[in-house]
Amino acid sequence: MSSFAFCKNLTRNRTSLLNFTALKKGHRIMNKNPQRFTITAALPYTNGPIHIGHLAGVYVPADIYSRFLRMQGHDVAFVCGSDEHGVPITIKAKKEGVTPQDVVDKYNGIIKKSFEDFGVSFDNYSRTSGKTHHDTASAFFKKMYEDGKFIEETTKQLYDEEAGQFLADRFVTGTCPKCGNEEAYGDQCESCGTSLNATDLINPKSAITGAVPTLKETRHWFLPLDQYEDFLKEWILKGHKADWKSNVYGQVKSWIDDGLRARAVTRDLDWGIPVPVEGGDGKVLYVWFDAPIGYISSTKEWAEREGKDWEPYWKDENTKLVHFIGKDNIVFHCIIFPVMLKAHGEFILPENVPANEFLNLEGKKLSTSKNWAVWLHEYLEDFPDQQDVLRYVLTANAPETKDNDFTWKDFQARNNNELVAIFGNFINRVVVLTNKYYNGIVPEPGTYSEVDEKTVAELKAYPSVIASSIERYRFREAQGELMNLARLGNKYLADEEPWKLIKTDEERVKTIMYVALQIASALSIISEPFLPFTSAKLKKMLNHVDENSDNTPDWDIIGTKEALIPAGHQIGKAELLFSKIEDEQMEKQLEKLEATKTANAMKDQKAEPQKEIATFEDFTKMDLRVGTIIEAEKMPKTKKLMVLKVDTGIDKRTVVSGIAEHFKAEDIIGKKVTVLVNLAPRKLRGVESEGMILMTENAEGKLVFVNPDEDGVKSGTTIN
């Protein structure tokens, strides 16, 4: 019986194992055998660092896929780079009083180092502010211009007379015509998500000077997307209906069904790539046009460094091009960039764009501007040498078909209950027992039992099972199968109990440990795309030696090689692959988020409208004094009321105040407060209150005293 035939009859009968049937028939990589792969990851925008939403949506799945392809022996170019042009960067520079170059230099450094420390295996990481990119994007535009692919129009755009410049969409704010949000941008309302033009805004104003803009004529070049609708319908709606993710296909279909319109490829701005044709003075390429060309320029840099020809990676039909992006980039990578490539005429089109949905944080949408995020560079500082824990959790919670949520509680649970208790526990058992029984030397096995044969057969099927999931961009499913292999090892040891048998059947234990070591060795290999640091550490622990004399790709040796780790091989000592994460570490992260939440609430807090005008005579009637609380007691059978005895300096009086839900009685005795002493007495629940304590609310809605607590301020002092 073949390994696969046996696996089909296992009681677990996992769906992913059944998918191996397609692989046995030769249907791999969409029925194609490409000579090379060009893998792109969305260019991160350099107005802030990388956070977990970026990682889960783009960079972790892209890295898994690229590492997997290399392990299969494929020719891979995995490219990315910093997106360094556009209005948000100029806005940030103006606010900080620096140049746009200063901004992008700062964040490019943070982003690049974070990726390197996190182990993202880019073959090249570029910058769109670099010369190679400027030259590449300029040449791309000029060819399309010379081939007559653009239309030229004069339109009216908003202009700031005080600043003396046209206002790009993000330089305009106003009221959204759809939902009434008074802080909508000129390209989109972040409250309701509606796409806008700057001229759609009600009561627009300049984000530079605050002035009301005027309309002024300007000339620009446009990409006529509507002329490519038939091409897009044929290529995507018919050609990729079966293999593209439903969330990607659905969004593209919606855009096409609504009708495409010409889109400007240039804008009036001084930061970006200058328009390289006559009449382009004072204009730059629109960032959405120049940024995706960054994939091409990054490939050029890599090829030049490696002594390769870059063109086959972008122009040869035997190349498979795959874009990894988040859902907010679908329209650019599935409609606009393909139209650019088609119009240019020399480039291949992407075979797939496996965009993910959004990852939320503790139930709220991630936000760079509001600092509601787990930043990668901070994570690497707070959790040193635990890159793989974050990679694992983000893949396990990957928003592959719908938005998903990251919580620190789940992060802790997956580390402690899965990585430590399953993967780490199995490896530790195997290595410790091998050193204990055989001084770290792999024992010679005896005759396999039926259990041994079944276990080894299932082990050999796993690479194909995991490959099937990865090739269909189901990384969460693939990682789940990796963990199932660790579970197989744990179950095998638990069922065979070598620690008991060693007393009665030493020969049988040799076979058990030999089989367990084969599983451990397999884990060291196929964990690499998902957990590269763990893989390297485990290979070192097992003293793993690459003996592929027949040039069999690493991924395939598990299914083809008789022994992954041979008898007589010396392994090293046990080391912990993963460590338990304690509650205190999680509390620290949650406190950080709470501080952010409070800061945002303070920032967003708006003052209540002014009340009706009071005359000076009205004000002078109020007798405000500093008082000291000398007694405090919660009123029985009420939630809010507290009975206070206050020394006003002129007497000691009772004041009933609705503060019991916010303060404990014992905590406020001795507290100086502001008291309105000439308020007419009023009975509350049978207790006469002779005044009012002045209170306000903080950003969280908690009551706080209007505080006269300064040294030298005595009870009875009047407040003028």
Side-chain angles (χ1 to χ4, degrees), residues 388-390 392-393 413-425 483 531 534 577-578:
D388 283 352
V389 179
L390 185 58
Y392 179 81
V393 174
R414 288 192 182 276
N415 177 79
N416 294 351
N417 302 336
E418 297 175 23
L419 291 176
V420 174
I422 298 172
F423 196 122
N425 179 60
M483 194 56 65
L531 309 170
T534 302
L577 291 179
F578 308 100

Side-chain angles (χ1 to χ4, degrees), residues 98-247:
V98 297
T99 67
Q101 192 65 53
D102 291 333
V103 172
V104 299
D105 286 347
K106 172 185 175 180
Y107 288 111
N108 174 73
I110 294 172
I111 291 169
K112 188 176 181 182
K113 186 177 188 305
S114 295
F115 280 142
E116 290 170 352
D117 293 346
F118 195 58
V120 180
S121 60
F122 296 128
D123 291 302
N124 194 66
Y125 190 83
S126 185
R127 304 181 66 175
T128 61
S129 63
K131 184 178 185 305
T132 298
H133 178 67
H134 275 236
D135 292 346
T136 302
S138 294
F140 198 105
F141 179 91
K142 284 182 74 173
K143 183 180 186 304
M144 291 181 65
Y145 173 82
E146 291 165 359
D147 290 347
K149 301 299 183 181
F150 299 128
I151 57 176
E152 195 173 333
E153 289 185 4
T154 298
T155 61
K156 288 186 176 181
Q157 294 189 11
L158 295 177
Y159 185 83
D160 186 330
E161 298 284 355
E162 291 185 25
Q165 69 178 70
F166 283 97
L167 296 175
D169 44 31
R170 287 268 157 170
F171 276 132
V172 186
T173 60
T175 301
C176 173
K178 297 288 185 181
C179 71
N181 171 30
E182 295 180 356
E183 298 179 353
Y185 290 108
D187 61 344
Q188 185 181 35
C189 174
E190 294 192 348
S191 178
C192 67
T194 300
S195 294
L196 301 167
N197 291 314
T199 51
D200 295 333
L201 294 174
I202 301 169
N203 300 323
K205 63 180 180 180
S206 168
I208 301 173
T209 64
V212 176
T214 59
L215 284 171
K216 188 174 181 179
E217 288 189 345
T218 182
R219 186 178 65 167
H220 283 288
W221 289 269
F222 291 75
L223 181 62
L225 296 175
D226 52 310
Q227 295 179 16
Y228 294 86
E229 283 190 9
D230 289 342
F231 151 67
L232 292 169
K233 288 176 180 177
E234 184 68 26
W235 174 58
I236 300 177
L237 301 190
K238 290 184 180 179
H240 287 293
K241 186 174 184 178
D243 61 302
W244 280 21
K245 293 171 70 171
S246 59
N247 58 315

Side-chain angles (χ1 to χ4, degrees), residues 117 377-389 579 585 588:
D117 293 346
H377 66 290
E378 292 183 358
Y379 172 88
L380 294 170
E381 293 172 0
D382 292 345
F383 297 90
D385 300 321
Q386 290 182 289
Q387 298 96 324
D388 283 352
V389 179
S579 57
Q585 293 172 272
K588 181 181 177 182

